[in-house]
Amino acid sequence: MTATRVLVLNSGSSSVKYQLLDMRGGARLAVGLVERIGEETSRLVHTPLLGDAGGKRERTAPIADHAAALKAVAEELAADGLGLDSPRLAAIGHRVVHGGLRFTEPTVIDEEVLAEVERLVPLAPLHNPANITGIRTAQALRPDLPQVAVFDTAFHTTMPESAARYAIDTETADRHLIRRYGFHGTSHAYVARETARLLGKDPEDVNVIVLHLGNGASASAVAGGRCVDTSMGLTPLEGLVMGTRSGDIDPAVTFHLMRVAGMSTDDIDVLLNKKSGLVGLCGDNDMREIRRRIDAGDERAQLAFDIYIHRLKKYIGAYYAVLGRVDAIAFTAGVGENAAPVREAAVSGLEELGLALDSGLNAERSDGARLVSTPYARVAVAVVPTDEELEIARQTFALVSENALG
Ligand code: ADP
């Protein structure tokens, strides 16, 4: 029996998202989420997607830790005949947020790799420890199975030094590993490739600006399939205005807040990461709610929207200049895929750059990848639903298949 299934795990500090995929065709067999791990109100939501498997199932008993969470997931999968002990399972693919400079590719996990991911914890203090816990838990469950790490930063490791370095003292930067790493790389890689496919071209022949606009948001400039610049930096705080993050600000704002407002480092960290962006500007970070308020004449919501769009436009212009020639701009993630007014505002007035939307196509709702530009526009505007789990599964399966072939 050939092993063609891949379990994808995205482990957070108190949650685990998972998907089981069959790589013969890429069909999803089951998806689910365990949340509030370690709390009384833990919840597991499991949805089998096989023909006659029935609908969504929910468990609400407390789940103490990641080991208990994965055990519960394994039980749910087994109940659908998809047990993790099945010989059909080829590998487990883990999302790992920070791979530093070392991990430029998906990597089979061993103790040495785990130690390196651990060494990178200071660069991703919230994410890497949770990812490591997820990996150790999965290893305990299936010690014989290849486990693969797919890094959020890997796609951006092709950035030239001119884009990756900050203009600060080189020795200080190198000593403390301070440089621009970028995040959401799995999504940017997937969307850039799917955009080329949508245009009927080879990814190597296409230059794309990818706008990943979710609650977190980042832009990337992709030249012939390789990332040459991205908006997130040392941490995911840099760049676009996000749901709760400020994106770019003058770094002196932090010294000013320390000196004048007496705020601590932690206070400022929370301010810029959790209480800024759209939520800081208008009290809401959900673009649907912001649009409702704008339609009702709310000026604060309008200003928040305008600031969000202004920054987005600046990045489109900047990446246009970085790439020299742009074939497509691709919108993805929750806002990018669903918020037609954001897409419209972001490219309006950019006709001189070859950008023109077909407002009818832009307003249409669809789950598929599609073009929303006018046929005569020089630069295509695409809406491409991202699929990080499928990308992680593909990269994981490609690596273990390659290794199996020797
Ligand atoms: P995350 O960064 O958490 O993965 P997502 O990519 O799921 O985020 O995006 C979540 C955001 O997408 C929400 O906060 C909301 O602003 C936006 N969003 C989701 N659906 C819609 C919609 N139909 N219209 C406008 N915005 C939407």
Side-chain angles (χ1 to χ4, degrees):
M1 191 184 296
T2 38
T4 53
R5 290 179 188 158
V6 174
L7 177 69
V8 175
L9 291 181
N10 181 353
S11 308
S13 55
S14 66
S15 70
V16 177
K17 291 187 201 139
Y18 63 93
Q19 292 197 1
L20 184 68
L21 296 96
D22 194 323
M23 300 320 290
R24 278 174 315 186
R28 247 162 272 254
L29 305 174
V31 303
L33 161 74
V34 188
E35 53 187 358
R36 297 191 289 275
I37 295 170
E39 294 177 34
E40 286 301 304
T41 55
S42 319
R43 190 166 78 118
L44 185 160
V45 183
H46 175 86
T47 310
L49 298 169
L50 285 170
D52 51 359
K56 180 158 89 177
R57 302 197 292 272
E58 224 179 291
R59 286 193 189 192
T60 49
I63 294 175
D65 52 25
H66 282 73
L70 206 56
K71 191 163 159 279
V73 170
E75 285 166 10
E76 292 297 335
L77 288 167
D80 299 324
L82 299 169
L84 296 187
D85 51 358
S86 164
R88 287 179 189 260
L89 189 62
I92 301 181
H94 296 267
R95 174 188 182 215
V96 179
V97 166
H98 217 303
L101 278 181
R102 149 110 187 252
F103 296 111
T104 60
E105 302 273 343
T107 305
V108 175
I109 300 166
D110 58 19
E111 276 307 311
E112 195 264 326
V113 168
L114 267 178
E116 185 61 25
V117 174
E118 180 90 52
R119 263 195 293 279
L120 294 166
V121 163
L123 292 174
L126 297 179
H127 293 101
N128 274 26
N131 301 154
I132 293 168
T133 306
I135 292 167
R136 291 223 180 270
T137 310
Q139 283 178 326
L141 205 69
R142 281 294 308 267
D144 56 315
L145 203 65
Q147 315 257 341
V148 173
V150 178
F151 298 91
D152 263 26
T153 46
F155 183 59
H156 304 303
T157 54
T158 52
M159 277 195 287
E161 288 294 281
S162 53
R165 280 198 176 267
Y166 292 108
I168 64 171
D169 171 62
T170 303
E171 211 182 297
T172 308
D174 288 349
R175 189 171 336 122
H176 300 289
L177 305 175
I178 295 170
R179 59 188 281 123
R180 309 189 55 254
Y181 294 96
F183 298 90
H184 291 145
T186 308
S187 175
H188 285 282
Y190 175 84
V191 170
R193 194 160 6 86
E194 290 301 311
T195 304
R197 193 201 301 265
L198 194 61
L199 298 179
K201 292 191 176 157
D202 195 311
E204 284 175 18
D205 299 330
V206 176
N207 289 355
V208 191
I209 298 174
V210 178
L211 302 170
H212 176 112
L213 310 177
N215 200 25
S218 62
S220 68
V222 183
R226 290 165 68 85
C227 177
V228 294
D229 204 353
T230 194
S231 61
M232 284 178 168
L234 175 76
T235 77
L237 186 53
E238 192 178 342
L240 300 173
V241 175
M242 312 184 206
T244 67
R245 297 190 192 116
S246 63
D248 297 334
I249 58 164
D250 180 345
V253 169
T254 56
F255 326 138
H256 186 77
L257 287 171
M258 283 173 165
R259 291 180 188 131
V260 175
M263 288 174 76
S264 68
T265 316
D266 286 348
D267 292 340
I268 298 171
D269 195 332
V270 170
L271 175 80
L272 297 179
N273 275 297
K274 301 255 160 69
K275 297 184 180 171
S276 296
L278 292 170
V279 89
L281 289 165
C282 74
D284 274 307
N285 61 337
D286 192 312
M287 194 51 82
R288 285 163 289 201
E289 186 54 27
I290 291 171
R291 291 304 311 175
R292 260 194 293 278
R293 286 173 55 186
I294 291 172
D295 290 342
D298 185 319
E299 287 177 13
R300 258 182 88 201
Q302 181 69 59
L303 180 59
F305 184 81
D306 292 346
I307 295 169
Y308 183 94
I309 297 296
H310 180 75
R311 185 82 52 84
L312 200 50
K313 270 197 151 124
K314 288 214 292 198
Y315 270 92
I316 293 173
Y319 287 173
Y320 217 105
V322 165
L323 288 168
R325 189 202 83 220
V326 177
D327 299 295
I329 295 187
F331 286 89
T332 193
V335 175
E337 291 167 29
N338 297 299
V342 168
R343 296 192 296 263
E344 190 177 337
V347 300
S348 83
L350 303 184
E351 293 80 5
E352 286 290 322
L353 297 182
L355 287 155
L357 278 194
D358 178 315
S359 47
L361 289 178
N362 187 46
E364 259 173 41
R365 300 201 63 82
S366 159
D367 292 336
R370 59 202 185 274
L371 293 177
V372 295
S373 39
T374 59
Y376 58 79
R378 210 168 60 242
V379 177
V381 180
V383 180
V384 179
T386 192
D387 195 336
E388 287 162 286
E389 290 76 16
L390 176 59
E391 182 67 19
I392 291 171
R394 275 183 188 163
Q395 293 191 14
T396 299
F397 192 62
L399 183 60
V400 296
S401 309
E402 203 177 287
N403 288 354
L405 290 173

